[in-house]
């Protein structure tokens, strides 16, 4: 995953600091305004992804900035900036993907041991969501 080139707008790869040569387990670190490009106001994680048909996301944000990590297992992240689309296999806990503004995203094909961690630069606000693809495209054109 670290070698992929991000083709969509408002995204990118975020590299964590990590120590993976300890016999007692790996340590992974992110620091706000250092490798995490904002101040973190909210953290959420998604687990219990045993349903093979799980399909999450299906929205974009107007203002919110997020970094998404797969801290265990794997899943497929689909990104769409309204012009370019990209499919990313998330299977490396040391690299996150920036979900910047106005990036439609969906998540699928979760391994049953998958755990997703998201860091966000603001509190939860339903008014920041664009929850239909049609609204997303209209919002992009309005700008
Ligand atoms: P949603 O962001 O749509 O989940 P996903 O993108 O992972 O599929 O959120 C699902 C529900 O959880 C929705 O009703 C809003 C609620 N929610 C909060 O209350 N706070 C939060 O921080 C998040 C991310 C979601």
């Amino acid at each position: 995953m670290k070698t992929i080139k991000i083709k969509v707008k408002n995204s990118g790869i975020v590299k964590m600091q990590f120590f993976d040569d300890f016999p007692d387990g790996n340590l992974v670190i992110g620091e706000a305004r250092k490798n995490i490009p904002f101040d973190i106001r909210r953290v959420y994680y998604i687990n219990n992804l045993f349903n093979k048909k799980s399909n999450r996301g299906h929205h974009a944000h107007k203002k919110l900035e997020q970094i998404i990590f797969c801290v265990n297992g794997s899943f497929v992240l689909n990104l769409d900036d309204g012009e370019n689309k990209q499919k990313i296999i998330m299977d490396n806990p040391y690299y996150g993907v920036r979900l910047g503004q106005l990036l439609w995203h969906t998540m699928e094909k979760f391994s049953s041991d998958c755990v997703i961690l998201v860091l966000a630069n603001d509190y939860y606000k339903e008014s920041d969501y664009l929850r239909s693809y049609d609204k997303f495209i209209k919002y992009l054109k309005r700008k």
Side-chain angles (χ1 to χ4, degrees):
M1 188 203 129
K2 65 185 170 189
T3 53
I4 64 156
K5 194 170 176 343
I6 299 283
K7 295 180 291 187
V8 293
K9 290 178 215 161
N10 302 339
S11 186
I13 300 286
V14 169
K15 187 180 179 198
M16 297 294 263
Q17 187 188 355
F18 58 87
F19 299 97
D20 64 348
D21 52 356
F22 296 145
D24 299 323
N26 301 345
L27 178 65
V28 188
I29 305 136
E31 292 184 300
R33 290 182 186 257
K34 290 188 179 172
N35 49 345
I36 305 301
F38 50 70
D39 283 329
I40 300 156
R41 272 214 171 135
R42 179 164 53 109
V43 172
Y44 59 90
Y45 45 84
I46 303 169
N47 65 348
N48 211 7
L49 287 155
F50 295 108
N51 178 359
K52 289 275 158 249
K53 291 184 187 148
S54 289
N55 205 311
R56 304 192 63 109
H58 299 272
H59 61 252
H61 285 280
K62 295 174 193 165
K63 293 261 156 54
L64 189 71
E65 287 279 339
Q66 305 186 97
I67 312 289
I68 186 165
F69 296 92
C70 185
V71 296
N72 200 62
S74 64
F75 72 99
V76 172
L77 176 66
N78 298 299
L79 301 178
D80 178 348
D81 64 15
E83 286 174 23
N84 314 291
K85 290 187 199 319
Q86 188 163 4
K87 197 177 267 294
I88 300 172
I89 297 165
M90 300 288 291
D91 60 358
N92 187 326
Y94 309 135
Y95 294 85
V97 172
R98 180 176 159 234
L99 295 176
Q101 298 173 357
L102 299 175
L103 200 47
W104 186 264
H105 57 280
T106 65
M107 295 163 267
E108 60 176 351
K109 301 191 171 67
F110 305 97
S111 63
S112 52
D113 60 351
C114 178
V115 180
I116 296 171
L117 171 70
V118 182
L119 309 179
N121 77 337
D122 206 354
Y123 303 120
Y124 170 75
K125 275 189 207 127
E126 187 56 39
S127 60
D128 190 66
Y129 279 74
L130 294 162
R131 286 201 184 269
S132 90
Y133 193 77
D134 204 41
K135 274 195 190 150
F136 164 61
I137 295 297
K138 283 190 179 132
Y139 193 89
L140 278 179
K141 286 187 179 154
R142 208 184 59 175
K143 284 198 93 199

